Amino acid sequence: MDVRYVNPFILSTIETFNVMLKLKVTPGKPQLKMDPFPTHDISGIIGISGDAVGTIAISYPRIVALKTVSRFLDAEFKIFDYAVTDAIGEITNIIAGSAKKDLGGLNVQISLPNVVIGRNHKLVGPKNAQNILVPLQSELGSMYLEVSLKTP
């Protein structure tokens, strides 16, 4: 996959966390994901259609998700409830919406966010799509950005 299609999501993630959560997120080295791992406790997922087809996802361990949402909503959360799942979906939606404009001239649409909860859930991208995994570090802990797109 061309970096023109991954970098907008990385940059949007950094900007979204910086602006919306006042949190510095540092991306690690992007890598090709060969297996449907790593697994986490909660993932926000956005579908992409149009000139490129696939998904982007942000996956969190439980404690990092709760700390992230607590900071995002300026309230303390200790369990996964509707407010937490809604906030995880909204953060993912903001990232995808911001990245959409910088996708190298591709005309794409984004879906409404979906949130998957469950220990050790696996994310699998579209058939024949390259899956790029970007580890992210913050003071709240680690998370992953996954970009899975079939592009022209």
Side-chain angles (χ1 to χ4, degrees):
M1 181 185 318
D2 192 315
V3 295
R4 292 179 300 163
Y5 308 127
V6 178
N7 285 343
F9 293 103
I10 296 171
L11 296 173
S12 179
T13 301
I14 292 167
E15 181 180 333
T16 298
F17 276 82
N18 184 42
V19 172
M20 303 298 293
L21 288 90
K22 306 295 186 248
L23 183 66
K24 180 180 179 185
V25 171
T26 305
K29 182 180 178 185
Q31 55 195 358
L32 190 59
K33 181 178 166 187
M34 303 304 286
D35 293 315
F37 298 102
T39 58
H40 285 303
D41 300 312
I42 188 166
S43 295
I45 305 164
I46 295 279
I48 298 172
S49 61
D51 292 344
V53 177
T55 59
I56 70 121
I58 307 285
S59 297
Y60 309 79
R62 180 183 180 279
I63 192 68
V64 177
L66 292 170
K67 288 178 182 180
T68 299
V69 171
S70 293
R71 185 174 282 202
F72 183 61
L73 298 178
D74 195 26
E76 187 174 359
F77 291 91
K78 293 186 179 191
I79 61 167
F80 287 158
D81 62 11
Y82 182 77
V84 170
T85 58
D86 190 49
I88 293 293
E90 185 57 29
I91 291 167
T92 310
N93 190 47
I94 293 166
I95 291 167
S98 177
K100 178 181 161 180
K101 68 185 181 327
D102 296 322
L103 284 175
L106 294 178
N107 182 20
V108 297
Q109 295 77 45
I110 60 173
S111 71
L112 294 174
N114 287 298
V115 176
V116 176
I117 301 172
R119 190 161 208 45
N120 297 321
H121 66 268
K122 300 174 186 175
L123 300 178
V124 180
K127 186 177 179 182
N128 300 322
Q130 286 188 322
N131 297 304
I132 304 298
L133 191 64
V134 182
L136 304 166
Q137 283 295 328
S138 78
E139 68 183 61
L140 302 180
S142 64
M143 59 199 102
Y144 285 89
L145 167 67
E146 186 173 327
V147 180
S148 178
L149 291 177
K150 284 198 231 182
T151 57

